[in-house]
């Protein structure tokens, strides 16, 4: 048991270091030596736990987005299961427009994905970390994801396109306008009824008005420590 816990602790230290370095320095400028220094490990430990540098980014990306989602869950505080999923999109764009380092981190992910073989860019593991959250409010998510594979690919493409488009000049747009636009695309692709969409968006905007701006910095700090 001790060996397992030590291995898990080492792995988490490496990922924590990657989140910090990829955010502060950028993915391409971060070296294995940088990761070793910050995580207090040797390079062999990195190779033992992770196959490639791109895998380090993918898992660091999931960790960063898990922070956003946990904050969305806290702010929704037990409301309908789909609300955190919607609010998560607003938190993403809030951070994208207000944190240059977060924006660069996400842009790096696009560059990494474009360099991967096509069969890896459609890896279902991505869906597990983002779209898989729909399992909390869509019955039989596995069947749904297989049946709606094309729709999910379209939504992922929209997300990537918006991320790329606003990489420069993000300050010129409202995070609410972009998040609303993205979710409107998703609703149209999945033929969501207009009244359901509007009701959900009204509630999300109420939560934003009540909580996001005053609580987000402290929630970010606490939630990062929890992972």
């Amino acid at each position: 048991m001790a060996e397992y816990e030590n291995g898990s602790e080492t792995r988490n230290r490496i990922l924590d270091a990657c989140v910090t370095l990829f955010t502060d320095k950028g993915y391409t400028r971060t070296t294995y030596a940088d990761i070793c220094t910050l995580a207090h490990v040797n390079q062999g430990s990195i190779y033992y736990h992770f196959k490639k540098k791109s895998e380090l980014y993918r898992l660091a990306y999931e960790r960063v987005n898990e922070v956003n989602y946990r904050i969305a869950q806290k702010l929704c505080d037990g409301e309908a299961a789909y609300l955190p999923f919607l609010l998560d999109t607003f938190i993403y764009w809030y951070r994208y427009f207000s944190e240059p380092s977060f924006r660069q981190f996400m842009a790096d992910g696009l560059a990494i994905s474009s360099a991967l073989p096509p069969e890896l860019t459609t890896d279902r593991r991505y869906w597990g970390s983002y779209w898989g959250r729909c399992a909390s409010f869509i019955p039989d998510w596995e069947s749904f994801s297989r049946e709606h594979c094309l729709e999910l690919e379209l939504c992922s493409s929209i997300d990537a396109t918006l991320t790329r488009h606003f990489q420069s000049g993000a300050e010129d747009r409202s995070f609410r306008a972009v998040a609303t636009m993205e979710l409107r695309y998703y609703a149209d692709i999945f033929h969501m009824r207009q009244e359901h969409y509007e009701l959900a968006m009204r509630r999300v905007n109420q939560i934003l008005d009540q909580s996001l701006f005053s609580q987000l910095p402290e929630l970010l700090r606490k939630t990062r420590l929890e992972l």
Side-chain angles (χ1 to χ4, degrees):
M1 178 63 71
E3 291 182 2
Y4 173 80
E5 291 175 350
N6 288 337
S8 177
E9 181 180 329
T10 300
R11 190 174 187 277
N12 281 325
R13 283 210 315 274
I14 293 169
L15 284 177
D16 286 341
C18 287
V19 169
T20 298
L21 289 166
F22 293 163
T23 302
D24 292 346
K25 296 185 64 173
Y27 173 80
T28 57
R29 291 188 298 276
T30 296
T31 66
Y32 279 106
D34 293 329
I35 299 169
C36 289
T37 299
L38 190 58
H40 304 291
V41 299
N42 58 47
Q43 200 156 321
S45 294
I46 298 177
Y47 292 140
Y48 176 79
H49 290 283
F50 307 98
K51 295 178 182 178
K52 297 180 180 180
K53 190 180 177 186
S54 58
E55 182 184 7
L56 283 168
Y57 179 89
R58 180 180 65 80
L59 293 170
Y61 174 93
E62 290 181 3
R63 182 164 290 208
V64 167
N65 281 283
E66 182 63 22
V67 167
N68 294 349
Y69 188 63
R70 288 196 185 188
I71 289 173
Q73 289 178 308
K74 290 176 181 178
L75 293 177
C76 290
D77 192 24
E79 294 198 43
Y82 59 82
L83 283 177
F85 178 82
L86 302 178
L87 184 58
D88 183 16
T89 302
F90 282 86
I91 293 173
Y92 172 92
W93 286 110
Y94 177 81
R95 296 189 66 190
Y96 192 87
F97 282 11
S98 62
E99 300 176 28
S101 59
F102 181 85
R103 183 160 64 247
Q104 184 58 53
F105 183 90
M106 293 300 152
D108 284 342
L110 295 178
I112 295 166
S113 295
S114 66
L116 292 174
E119 64 271 17
L120 292 183
T121 60
T122 57
D123 194 327
R124 292 294 181 88
R125 287 177 298 183
Y126 170 77
W127 292 0
S129 66
Y130 182 72
W131 292 108
R133 293 168 184 163
C134 296
S136 65
F137 55 89
I138 295 180
D140 196 1
W141 164 249
E142 289 298 323
S143 296
F144 180 90
S145 63
R146 287 193 298 269
E147 181 180 351
H148 296 282
C149 180
L150 177 59
E151 288 88 346
L152 290 167
E153 290 292 346
L154 287 172
C155 291
S156 297
S157 296
I158 288 169
D159 178 66
T161 299
L162 291 173
T163 297
R164 187 179 294 108
H165 178 76
F166 291 113
Q167 185 178 353
S168 59
E171 298 81 3
D172 298 333
R173 294 298 297 267
S174 157
F175 82 92
R176 286 198 187 199
V178 176
T180 300
M181 176 173 59
E182 181 169 26
L183 291 173
R184 177 72 268 176
Y185 287 142
Y186 294 173
D188 289 344
I189 288 171
F190 283 101
H191 306 291
M192 185 177 182
R193 293 175 61 179
Q194 181 70 19
E195 59 269 26
H196 290 169
Y197 171 80
E198 292 179 354
L199 180 63
M201 294 301 285
R202 278 200 299 272
R203 182 60 191 131
V204 166
N205 278 286
Q206 287 174 352
I207 295 169
L208 287 172
D209 291 336
Q210 294 165 359
S211 307
L212 181 62
F213 302 104
S214 61
Q215 297 186 36
L216 185 60
E218 181 63 14
L219 284 171
L220 281 168
R221 186 188 69 79
K222 287 183 177 179
T223 307
R224 286 171 182 142
L225 294 175
E226 291 171 1
L227 292 181

